[in-house]
Each structure stands twice: as C-alpha cells, then as structure tokens.
Amino acid sequence: MYASIKTPIIPQLATTEKTAIVTASPFIHSPECLQQLRQLSGLSATETPFPFKVSRSFAERIASGDPTDPLLLQIWPQAAEQHHSPGDRQDPVDELSHMVVPGLIHKYRHRALLTLTGQCPIHCRYCFRRHFPYPEANPKQQQLAAIIDYLGEHPEIEELIFSGGDPLMLSGGFLQQFTHRLLALPSIQRLRLHTRVPVAWPKGVSEAHIEWLSSLELPLAIVIHCNHPAEIDPAVGAALTRLRQTGAALFNQAVLLRRINDSAEILADLSKILFKHGVIPYYLNQLDRAVGVAHFEVSDQQAQQIMATLHQRLPGYLLPRLVRDTGSDGGKTPLTVPLPI
C-alpha cells in the first residue's frame, strides 16, 4: 500500500497523452542527499515504509544546518512515526467507505472528490493519506464511464474537487481532456483544485496548466496548502500570481502542527503573507490522526488559545477557521474558540 506513493497511478485516456507526470524539475528521494545539500550532518533519519521525497525548490528554503527548521520538520522521517497511538487510523477521515467508484469519493451531498494521482511534489510526514491505496483508488480509463454515470445519476453533486496526491503533478494537456468530459455534465457548477505544487514546487505550475485553468468556463477555486510563512519565497509568489490571473479564487488550508506553526505569531504572519499574494486563509485543520503522525498533534485547548490570540491580532478576513474532519457526512466540524472580552 505504501509503495503506491512511489509509483505514479495515472488515469489513462485513449489519446496521445500517455505520459501525464510532469518531469521538468528534480526531486530529492533520500534524506542523505538533503543532509548534504543543507549541511545537516548531525541529523539522523528513521527508515519508514512511507517514502521520503522533497522538491529541490522546497529543500533550498530549509535553513542550512538547522535541525529545528519548520520546513525540515514537515518532511524529515522521525522515529516517532513508528509509534502507534490510541486514536490512530489508517483512513482517519473515512474516505474509503465513501468511495462509490474507484477514485471518486462522495462524502458530502453536494460535492464529490476525485483522487487523480498518488504523486506529490513532497511527502509531508503528517499526511492523512499516507496509507491510501492509490492503485485501487484512481479513476483509470475503464472507470471513467462509471464516474460519469454516477455523477449523472446524482445531480445534487454541484462541485467537483480534484485532489490526489496532487493533480498538478499531471500534465495540463491530460487535465484539460479529463476535465472536458466531466464538466460536460450540466449539474456540475463549480470546480475546486487542491494542490501543494505552487508552494512545494512552483516550477511545476506549467504554461499548459495555466492554459487549462484559464479555459475553464465554470467558477474555479484553487486551495493551496501552506503551513508556514517561510514556505513562501519569490518563486512561490510568482506561481500564485499566475494562478490568480486565470480568474480563480485562491484559498489556503494549513494544518496546525506541533513545533512547526503552533503559535499565533507564526500563523498571523502566514495569513498576512498569503493575503499579500492574493490568497485567502481558509481552514486551519486540526491533525487528521493517520497512523504514525501523533507527534505532530496540538491539543484542542492550545489550538483555541492560539485562535483567540489571532482574533485580537487580525481582521476577520485574515482569520482561518479552526476545524476538524471527523469523517462524518456533514462536513468539517468547527472548533469553538473563546473570544476575548
């Protein structure tokens, strides 16, 4: 099951678009290479079944020689991943029981999610899909007709969410063909794209991606994933500008992570720099407890205290919503935040 993350699983169409994975930029696949690049000789990595991967672009933003760097902690394999804690689950947000066709998850009444690929530009160690069975859960060509049939039989589905892995690891040409067939359904009114590529690997946002996104006639939301202000450099800013110029609305989902962004100061700075680049803070997610990620968890009490401070520091439009995905059909659950008197 873990090995599927190493191997791209691409839905194939009967066209010349046979190779959909973008290969323009190198990736680092061993902790030893990262150690050499960022002078981390005193740091040891733990071998785990979840493979190591980071884009060179993201790696170059890690502070040289700093084993506590918040970007490094997101991608460095730790011994704590081998510990299983009460509450850990292989499928922490209950996606597999809502998979109606391989690759199509209908969890919420008015929207459905497609896991288009298992490939990502980096492997975040807290990933809630680190155990996801991508080989059995991708919308391959033989399932595309079944997906279209299901969507046609459920006109209450108004929004499609492209997820993964990361859909921008697929070529723009492939995505354009795939989207054309799905968005021909009259019931689909919106498209949402969940991606970490603009932040983790900004060069991965290709001209073909921009052309595809610009050609869409439906309202488009792009939800990026950025946890710390140090993740945003000029190249990331340029990628976000190009995405915004397609007419898409840009939002951010962050995960609250111990020792990485568990302070109001860091999260306030994150909201400010996101807004500077045209991105609205959307969700601050409490950790989804996949097996082996408990060491990243921040208590609800501390999370609420952080949010109460953010209420004092930021205007409402810069405040993300603190939520937890309980796996229920109703959507993400807001966590009540005590407001300052």
Side-chain angles (χ1 to χ4, degrees), residues 57 61 197-202 224 231-241 277:
S57 169
R61 283 169 254 161
V197 164
V199 175
W201 179 37
I224 67 166
E231 295 179 40
I232 300 179
D233 67 359
V236 173
L240 295 174
T241 296
H277 292 287

Side-chain angles (χ1 to χ4, degrees), residues 3 14 19 72-73 92 109-110 119 122 140-141 169 181 187 191 229 258 269-270 279 296-297:
T19 306
L72 175 67
L73 294 178
R109 175 173 172 79
H110 296 292
Q119 284 289 303
I122 62 175
K140 304 180 183 69
Q141 169 65 18
M169 294 298 285
R181 297 185 65 178
S187 55
L191 181 65
R258 189 170 72 89
D269 287 346
L270 176 61
V279 183
F296 288 108
E297 190 166 42

